[in-house]
Each structure stands twice: as structure tokens, then as C-alpha cells.
Amino acid sequence: MKGTLTDRQRQVLDFIYATLEKQGVAPSLREIQAHFKLASPFGVKRHLDALTAKGALRRLEGKARALLPPLPSIRRGLMTDVPLFGTIPAGSPSAQEQEPDRTLSIDTTSLGIHPGTTVYALQVRGDSMIGASILDGDVVFLTPRPPRPRDIVAALIDGESTLKRFLHRDGLPFLRAENPRYPDLLPATELVIQGVMIGLLRRVPQ
Amino acid sequence: MKGTLTDRQRQVLDFIYATLEKQGVAPSLREIQAHFKLASPFGVKRHLDALTAKGALRRLEGKARALLPPLPSIRRGLMTDVPLFGTIPAGSPSAQEQEPDRTLSIDTTSLGIHPGTTVYALQVRGDSMIGASILDGDVVFLTPRPPRPRDIVAALIDGESTLKRFLHRDGLPFLRAENPRYPDLLPATELVIQGVMIGLLRRVPQ
DNA sequence: CCCGGACGTGTTCATCTGTACACCTATGAA
DNA sequence: TTCATAGGTGTACAGATGAACACGTCCGGG
């Protein structure tokens, strides 16, 4: 089988990629050996041979530390790097952070934006937008632009940040949660829209 | 000076990054030596020493091919390319296509997978999974692996493809929509799981 | 003129690293 | 039982690789 790795093979593969991500260089056979407390580098070699045969890994023969992901065959579109800021409560509002936790990369076509568009991402906490199919833990993509009614926005309302639907009533803007258990938010002093939601990314825990 | 590289040093640095991009692994001293037609690896070493001293390069001492960009400011993670196939009905099942419509690129960390993992994407049609916060038009990421109970799966049931939750009853697997208006699906002849959902991407129409 | 920095040559050495072989254990299918 | 597969041990070897030293050239500044 091509796609079916054994438990041990998956552990080895995970370690290789973890090392690649963490220190930028693939581990040598003996580093893998040490990590799994094996007594011989040969055991490692056979795992690598198996992984290569199954197409889960690519090697540059004879070269040191030349363990790579298998060849991406398709041409990649234009990419954008989206800074992911901490969490934004979809429940009650809270203060906004400044430093991105990490960066997320995705091609512009899939996000439905033009290259150069400013995009940032926030992770949702709480269930107040569940009626819009936005769950706790989801990452929402936002772009700073003036909101239109019914847009979902990240708003700074009275100094606190929150994710809600942007609506008008009697000519006045207000924010509504997509969950009947949360009340409408009427800005007491000011309503600053930080961004309009343009997309969403969800990871299902494995 | 820290930031001012000599011509030669810049050439070496460019070659290192070019090699990194092209084959995924940094060159060894002797590969650099060969590229510049030098007669000794020692000349290369002094260039690397100079580059390191000037902060233009980072090395993991003693390790082979451990030439890295200086402490990454916004280092893009490892990318994966996901083929996006046509639509999959979350309502009634339909036949499965073969050719990908387009390819979607995203970094592996954000998807929560390791590079090399087989992933494909399908676009959802219908509202039968709305209880799992999956909407019409959403793109779901799937990986082929044996499903566990309560996984959301793309299944080939009696020759038709559909997205449903995978469950067991009396030891027998069956599929359930996350929408009370749809009945459970009990496989008449065979139940082939094409993939398990690992993530979701939504584009909000602008 | 002398000096230091950048750059290059030949050579040697100690590790690092991948590869190979012979042999062992456990498990599951035929 | 036999066989294949996955996984492991211990040892050995060869080539890849980084590091080091002594000795050059060229060039610009004091």
C-alpha cells in the first residue's frame, strides 16, 4: 500500500517534520536513532526506506540530512501571509492584542482576495456566532474596509473587541450575535469596525 | 560592519538560498566550492564565517548542511498543495469526479497535518451538515484514513458520494446527516469511506 | 613602504553520516 | 507449519562533511 503507514513509520515521519519545523534542518539517521532510543542506525534506515517507498518522504541520495516532503507536482498560485492574532471573543468583548501569534499562509485565490489586500486572522472564542456556523476555535479572516449591513465584523465597541453581525436599525448601526442567548450590542460611545470577515478556516482535531 | 556584505559574500549567500529553494536542502561546503570553482573548502568556510559574523546567516554548529536564514522574522512554514475536486452533496449522494478543478495551497501547520499527508478537498453542496456548522459552498479538507465513530466522512455509499457523520449502531456502521430533515443512510451493499474531514475553508462572498 | 582585510590554494584530520551485512523477535496470513 | 512483514541489535566500512593550518595574491589606506 502506498498511503498506509505503520504506527512506527508515522512516529518517525512525525519526528522528521517536527525537527524540520523546529530547527529548520532535517535530522540525521543517528539523531532519529537517539530520539527513539534505538541501538542501531540501520533500523532507522529501513524506516526511511519504507517511507520513501510509500511516497511519504523524498530523499536526495547520498546527501546528509536530505529528507524532504514528497514533490509537489502542481504549480502554486500567488500566496499571501496572514498574521494570526490571538483570540477574539464571539461571546463577550475583550481587549485586542497587537503581536501576531503566528503567520498563516494560503493562496489568494482560495481566500477570494486580490494579492496585496490587507488580511489578518483572529481565532474565535465562544459560541455567540454559532448561528452563522462559526464555532469556538475557528479562525476567521478579516480585511479592513467599511462594513455593509449584514457583514460579520470584528468591532471595537467601547474599547473592547468582538465578532458580531453588523446591522442598522433606524439608521443607527449596532451589533448582533448569532445566538439568541446573547443580547444586541448598542455602542454607548463609539463603534470602530476593525475588519470585515471574508473567510473562515477550521481545523478538526485528529 | 554587520550589514555590509562584499560582492563575493553576497554571491555565496545567494547561491545558498537558491539551492535551498531549488532542492530544499542547503548546500555543503564542497558543493559551494564546486559551484564557484574554488580549489579548497577552506575558502568557503571563511565566507560562511564572515556571513555568520555579519548576521546574514545562521548555522547549527557541527551539523551537515545546517545553513539557515538568520532568526526567522516571518518564516513561512511548510506548504501543502491540496487538489480541490468538484462538489460533494451534503444532501443527496451523487457520483464522484476524478479531475481536480483547481489546487489550493496552505501551510501544513494551519491545516494541522504533516507534509506528505495525502489531503484533498471537496466543495459542499446542500445543507444536510448544517448542524455541524458546514454550509453550502464550504470547502472541506479530507484525508484518506480509517474513520473513527463520530468522524465526518466523505463516503461512497452504494456507488454514490456524500458527506456525512460516521456512526455505529449495533456494531454496524451507518451515516447520519447533521440535519433532522435528512434520514440516516444505511448501506445497502457496501460502504466505502473516501476520506475523513480534517478541516474546512469558507469564503464569504464579497 | 608596511599593514590589514578579502580572497584563494593544498593538504590533513576528525567526525558526521549513510549504507551494508548477519542475526534476532514478534505477529499474522497461507 | 511455513512464509512474509515489521521492527530491532551490533558491528563495520566508505564517503560526505566541517574544521584546521601554512602559505600565497591583490588592493587600498596610512
Side-chain angles (χ1 to χ4, degrees):
Chain A
M1 271 301 185
K2 187 169 180 289
T4 47
L5 302 182
T6 65
D7 286 353
R8 201 54 160 165
Q9 286 165 5
R10 174 138 296 281
Q11 287 174 31
V12 173
L13 193 63
D14 286 354
F15 175 69
I16 292 171
Y17 287 132
T19 306
L20 252 176
E21 290 260 357
K22 193 168 143 243
Q23 62 173 23
V25 183
S28 66
L29 294 216
R30 278 167 184 80
E31 286 172 356
I32 300 173
Q33 174 194 340
H35 179 262
F36 290 102
K37 302 196 198 314
L38 301 184
S40 161
F42 190 57
V44 176
K45 174 172 162 48
R46 270 197 308 214
H47 282 128
L48 297 190
D49 288 346
L51 287 168
T52 308
K54 289 180 179 177
L57 192 67
R58 186 166 49 107
R59 303 189 67 185
L60 306 182
E61 212 167 327
K63 295 187 176 174
R65 297 172 185 273
L67 312 176
L68 301 164
L71 267 181
S73 49
I74 311 110
R75 188 172 306 276
R76 204 168 269 167
L78 291 169
M79 303 295 299
T80 189
D81 298 293
V82 182
L84 173 62
F85 295 95
T87 58
I88 182 174
S92 53
S94 86
Q96 174 74 27
E97 305 180 26
Q98 292 304 318
E99 283 304 299
D101 291 359
R102 61 186 183 86
T103 304
L104 190 155
S105 303
I106 189 170
D107 68 280
T108 54
T109 308
S110 301
L111 252 193
I113 59 163
H114 294 288
T117 308
T118 302
V119 182
Y120 62 100
L122 294 172
Q123 191 160 32
V124 175
R125 285 292 159 219
D127 61 350
S128 82
M129 293 305 284
I130 198 159
S133 291
I134 300 173
L135 301 182
D136 183 76
D138 284 359
V139 170
V140 291
F141 298 104
L142 302 148
T143 191
R145 69 159 169 80
R148 292 184 285 263
R150 299 210 50 76
D151 279 347
I152 292 174
V153 300
L156 204 60
I157 183 169
D158 299 333
E160 303 281 305
S161 178
T162 184
L163 188 71
K164 292 287 180 297
R165 193 176 291 280
F166 179 84
L167 294 169
H168 273 274
R169 181 190 292 156
D170 303 332
L172 276 178
F174 71 103
L175 303 178
R176 170 171 288 172
E178 290 279 343
N179 185 332
R181 295 194 292 104
Y182 292 81
D184 291 347
L185 286 179
L186 295 154
T189 58
E190 55 168 2
L191 175 59
V192 179
I193 303 301
Q194 300 182 297
V196 177
M197 172 172 168
I198 59 167
L200 177 150
L201 179 68
R202 181 180 303 158
R203 255 179 69 176
V204 179
Q206 293 299 300
Chain B
M1 272 302 184
K2 189 167 180 293
T4 48
L5 303 183
T6 66
D7 286 352
R8 202 56 161 163
Q9 286 164 7
R10 174 137 298 280
Q11 287 174 32
V12 173
L13 193 62
D14 287 349
F15 175 68
I16 292 172
Y17 287 135
T19 306
L20 256 175
E21 289 246 359
K22 195 168 142 242
Q23 61 173 25
V25 182
S28 66
L29 294 215
R30 279 167 183 80
E31 285 171 357
I32 300 174
Q33 173 195 341
H35 179 263
F36 290 102
K37 303 198 196 315
L38 302 184
S40 160
F42 190 55
V44 176
K45 174 173 162 48
R46 270 196 308 214
H47 282 128
L48 298 188
D49 288 345
L51 288 168
T52 308
K54 289 179 180 177
L57 192 68
R58 188 165 49 106
R59 303 189 66 187
L60 306 182
E61 213 167 326
K63 295 187 175 172
R65 296 172 186 274
L67 311 176
L68 301 164
L71 279 177
S73 44
I74 335 144
R75 195 174 99 234
R76 187 175 288 176
L78 299 167
M79 302 295 299
T80 190
D81 299 288
V82 183
L84 173 62
F85 295 94
T87 59
I88 181 174
S92 54
S94 87
Q96 174 74 27
E97 304 180 25
Q98 294 303 319
E99 282 304 299
D101 291 359
R102 60 186 183 87
T103 302
L104 192 156
S105 302
I106 190 170
D107 68 279
T108 54
T109 307
S110 300
L111 252 193
I113 59 159
H114 292 287
T117 307
T118 303
V119 181
Y120 62 99
L122 295 172
Q123 191 159 32
V124 175
R125 285 293 161 218
D127 61 351
S128 82
M129 292 305 284
I130 197 157
S133 290
I134 301 173
L135 302 182
D136 183 74
D138 284 358
V139 169
V140 290
F141 298 105
L142 302 148
T143 190
R145 68 158 170 82
R148 292 185 284 263
R150 299 209 51 75
D151 279 347
I152 293 174
V153 299
L156 204 61
I157 183 168
D158 299 334
E160 302 281 310
S161 178
T162 184
L163 188 70
K164 292 286 181 296
R165 194 176 291 279
F166 178 83
L167 294 170
H168 273 273
R169 181 191 293 156
D170 303 330
L172 277 178
F174 70 102
L175 303 177
R176 169 171 288 173
E178 290 280 341
N179 185 331
R181 295 195 291 103
Y182 291 81
D184 291 349
L185 285 180
L186 294 155
T189 57
E190 55 168 0
L191 175 58
V192 179
I193 303 300
Q194 300 180 298
V196 177
M197 172 173 168
I198 60 166
L200 178 150
L201 179 68
R202 180 180 304 157
R203 256 179 69 177
V204 178
Q206 294 299 298

